[in-house]
Amino acid sequence: MYHFLTCFIRTSSNTLVLHGQHFGRTVFALCNYPALLTASILQLEELQDSLIKDYPADVQQEHKVFINLIDSYLGLLDYLTKGEEEDIIHVGELLGKGASGASGNNTKTLKSAILEWLVPKGQVVIPPLSWSIKSDHGFNHEVTGPVFLYAGYEYDPEDLWKGLLHSEILIFGYKHVFISPSSVDKEPKATRSGNAYLYGMKSVTQVYLAYITMQVQFSLRSSSVFSHTNTVTNSENFYHSILDLLEDPNECKEVADLMTWWMWF
């Protein structure tokens, strides 16, 4: 048993970090992996005598993420069920390292590019936007407020789905993160090393879209750090809200139309 666990962690450390990068971008972002794995392994025993549908919605969501995770990494469930709690926590830390590293890198590169997309060379906005200070961003400026979600940065109060998640800046953000930064200018130079190519991603999904929307929202907001307390600009709540909307069965027609539109990118 000890030999199996030691070999798994020695051969999987780097790949677990890499898998965390991919999983955080494409399956579920902002996850506490050590807590998720620890709770989910204990829950597997409970589910032998009960059904997951009988649990609260948040527990069902966590279980769904856990199942996606173990299905996406060969041998992971075997390792987790045979390991001690410290082994489970260590795996979670490696996955979390990858996910947070990927998110941080995307945040850093998007922040430097996003104002160029909003204000192309030779153009100005009034009042001007600062490149280095974020206090004038977010709700403090028209072009960085919630209208960034809409095509043409305009929304119709009579039809809130009209143009929602169709904005140019979201398209640029998706290309920047999942294809390559150069693809934003329609001159792709490194698409074969982009995340979409490396992980065999063939089309945009609801999760990809929610992740990019969160990243763009954070780059545009007035705060310089992810917040868990500010109810207006909390990126975690924002991400979950977008994901909940895209997975809402009552909005299935609108979401289907939206994802069909995103297939072109």
Side-chain angles (χ1 to χ4, degrees), residues 77-254:
L77 179 60
D78 198 23
Y79 174 81
L80 294 173
T81 54
K82 292 179 179 178
E84 301 293 333
E85 182 178 2
E86 61 188 43
D87 301 314
I88 297 172
I89 292 174
H90 183 51
V91 168
E93 290 172 343
L94 291 172
L95 291 166
K97 178 182 178 181
S100 62
S103 179
N105 182 64
N106 294 151
T107 298
K108 180 180 178 180
T109 58
L110 278 171
K111 184 172 66 173
S112 62
I114 207 157
L115 282 186
E116 293 182 358
W117 303 338
L118 282 174
V119 189
K121 291 181 180 180
Q123 298 184 24
V124 296
V125 293
I126 303 298
L129 281 167
S130 170
W131 288 80
S132 57
I133 301 174
K134 297 190 69 178
S135 58
D136 59 356
H137 294 192
F139 285 91
N140 300 319
H141 199 291
E142 182 179 355
V143 300
T144 59
V147 291
F148 84 88
L149 294 169
Y150 287 87
Y153 309 109
E154 297 181 357
Y155 79 99
D156 182 352
E158 301 298 323
D159 182 5
L160 296 182
W161 268 103
K162 183 179 180 180
L164 180 60
L165 301 177
H166 285 70
S167 68
E168 186 177 57
I169 201 169
L170 292 180
I171 298 170
F172 289 167
Y174 170 77
K175 289 183 175 182
H176 183 93
V177 170
F178 287 108
I179 302 177
S180 74
S182 62
S183 70
V184 173
D185 299 320
K186 299 182 180 179
E187 298 177 0
K189 301 175 182 178
T191 55
R192 294 183 68 83
S193 61
N195 291 305
Y197 176 82
L198 291 175
Y199 293 104
M201 298 156 54
K202 297 180 180 180
S203 62
V204 183
T205 69
Q206 288 98 318
V207 178
Y208 301 176
L209 186 52
Y211 179 82
I212 286 301
T213 305
M214 175 193 69
Q215 285 286 350
V216 171
Q217 182 258 1
F218 177 73
S219 297
L220 291 174
R221 54 183 268 200
S222 57
S223 174
S224 59
V225 295
F226 273 86
S227 170
H228 293 268
T229 57
N230 189 324
T231 57
V232 176
T233 58
N234 184 336
S235 292
E236 186 172 356
N237 281 343
F238 181 82
Y239 170 76
H240 288 295
S241 296
I242 294 293
L243 199 56
D244 287 345
L245 174 66
L246 295 177
E247 294 180 345
D248 187 343
N250 295 322
E251 308 290 345
C252 60
K253 181 183 182 303
E254 289 80 1

